[in-house]
Amino acid sequence: MQIAIDGPASAGKSTIAKLVAKKLGYVYCDTGAMYRTVTLMALRNGVAPDDAKQVTALLPKLEFKFVPTADGQLVYMNGEDVSLAIRQEDVTNNASAVSAIPAVREDLTRRQREIAAEGNIVMDGRDIGTTVLPNAELKVFMIASVAERARRRFLDNQSKGIYVSIETLEEEIATRDHKDSTRKTSPLRQADDAILIDTTKMTIDEVVNQILALQAERER
Ligand code: DC
């Protein structure tokens, strides 16, 4: 079974997708981590994130791997653990430009389909239900208000010792929403057959349970 979870930045997709995958014993694929890794590679190589030609030239040199561990999944770029590096603000803020490059989307979509071909999967991102896995048995489109997403990011940052004001986070989230939903290639859009879940007033457990119930229905 394939479960596709899409939605805007900080709507809780990866937290939920990880828990759902764990409960079901499915593989979890965080496609945002893949776009972030290409972004990191560009920044490290002094390539402007919107330079389509030069970013594209880096792709054949990228060996990307998810490595499951007892503490969760690690992200490897050419043999280096970049799990933390890809969460830095400069990567976050440049990932929209990189993910708007059609050749990057094509390359990562191919890699994502290869991962999905290995078995039961929960995949989260922006275009999973619409483009990457259009035949997924269960598609969820997860949203939350900008204020709530900024609040969650603020708390998450706090636990990592990072301080960015709520106002700045709200602005960043709104900017990313706009960029992700207006780009030409695979914009963020709810698939026609996706189920909308607004997590603004829901707990993590409530969202996980709703998805597990939907999965059980599909399995019957
Ligand atoms: O979900 P995230 O914040 O880790 O995503 C990082 C960036 O990658 C974000 O700018 C949106 C983009 N992205 C995308 O375009 N398509 C996906 N399937 C996943 C992420």
Side-chain angles (χ1 to χ4, degrees), residues 13 31-33 35-36 87 95-96 99 105 125-128 176 180 183:
K13 298 182 302 289
T31 64
Y35 287 94
R36 287 169 178 273
R87 303 289 157 196
S96 283
S99 58
R105 304 207 68 84
R126 304 291 189 286
D127 60 339
I128 311 309
R176 277 223 281 166
D180 289 346
R183 68 168 173 242

Side-chain angles (χ1 to χ4, degrees), residues 195-197 202 205-215:
I195 290 166
L196 183 73
I197 302 183
M202 291 173 82
D205 274 354
E206 284 170 342
V207 183
V208 169
N209 288 335
Q210 186 173 347
I211 295 177
L212 291 176
L214 290 166
Q215 184 271 346

